[in-house]
Amino acid sequence: MGIGDRIKQRRIELGMSQQELATAMGYTSKSTINKIELGKNDVSQSKVVKFSKVLNTTPSYLMDWDLDDENNDVSDYSKENNEYIEIGQRIKKCRLNLNKSQLDLASSLGIERSTLQKYEAGKRAIPITVLKELSIIFSVSIDYLVTGLNYNGNVKTTSYPINEELSYMINNTLNTEATIKLIEFARFLSQDKKNLK
């Protein structure tokens, strides 16, 4: 499948006409889109980036470079499959804690909803780049997503997604200095055994 086929497929998935895509891309005529989809016109790198934004996907998907995402279906090895299922369950739990739909989260990641469904069901291995993005979106460590534990030096500590309100404050309200003070205060509280669960 070439770039033209992928552009056409994604355009149809989004319910866009060739004319709508042409307009969004800044082309005067839908014939340019038609030629690209048929493989008659080449697409420059800058246009690939613009197509990816307009079509709500990634340049690597359009260029068929997203091999990690496309070819990582999990085999039937039960131990490996169980690990992927557990990772998927943690991703789903974090997603639900943020009140995000699969479509919302998939859009944030630049992947298809069906791919996210496979991740959450443990049917597809998750590329490290996606795990990094998820850890940022959920405000948890990659360790938590993969193992269910955070590693603090040599000590494993159970981790839970931080409270949504606290996460919102850190990401949207507090400046850097206030965020540092908040973290220092949390560390101070955790050193006193009477404050621990």
Side-chain angles (χ1 to χ4, degrees), residues 27-56:
Y27 294 123
T28 55
S29 169
K30 72 176 186 175
S31 67
T32 305
I33 299 297
N34 187 46
K35 289 176 183 174
I36 289 170
E37 290 180 353
L38 293 173
K40 293 180 180 178
N41 281 11
D42 290 333
V43 182
S44 69
Q45 285 184 335
S46 61
K47 288 293 185 184
V48 170
V49 171
K50 189 166 182 179
F51 268 112
S52 69
K53 289 179 182 176
V54 169
L55 295 171
N56 196 21

Side-chain angles (χ1 to χ4, degrees), residues 72-137:
N72 268 353
D73 284 350
V74 174
S75 64
D76 288 332
Y77 298 112
S78 59
K79 181 181 178 190
E80 188 177 75
N81 197 22
N82 285 339
E83 290 172 3
Y84 289 123
I85 289 170
E86 290 171 6
I87 293 169
Q89 288 170 344
R90 282 187 286 279
I91 290 170
K92 183 176 182 179
K93 179 181 178 183
C94 289
R95 176 177 62 78
L96 294 174
N97 282 343
L98 291 179
N99 295 319
K100 282 188 172 272
S101 69
Q102 282 184 333
L103 187 59
D104 290 339
L105 182 56
S107 293
S108 297
L109 294 168
I111 62 174
E112 299 295 323
R113 181 174 175 254
S114 61
T115 301
L116 180 60
Q117 285 175 321
K118 288 183 180 181
Y119 292 161
E120 288 188 354
K123 294 182 178 178
R124 180 168 285 179
I126 306 171
I128 189 68
T129 54
V130 174
L131 286 171
K132 285 179 185 176
E133 283 296 312
L134 287 169
S135 73
I136 292 167
I137 290 168

Side-chain angles (χ1 to χ4, degrees), residues 12 14 22 54 58 78 136 142 146 153 196:
I12 290 169
L14 294 173
V54 169
T58 62
S78 59
I136 292 167
I142 294 175
V146 174
L196 301 178

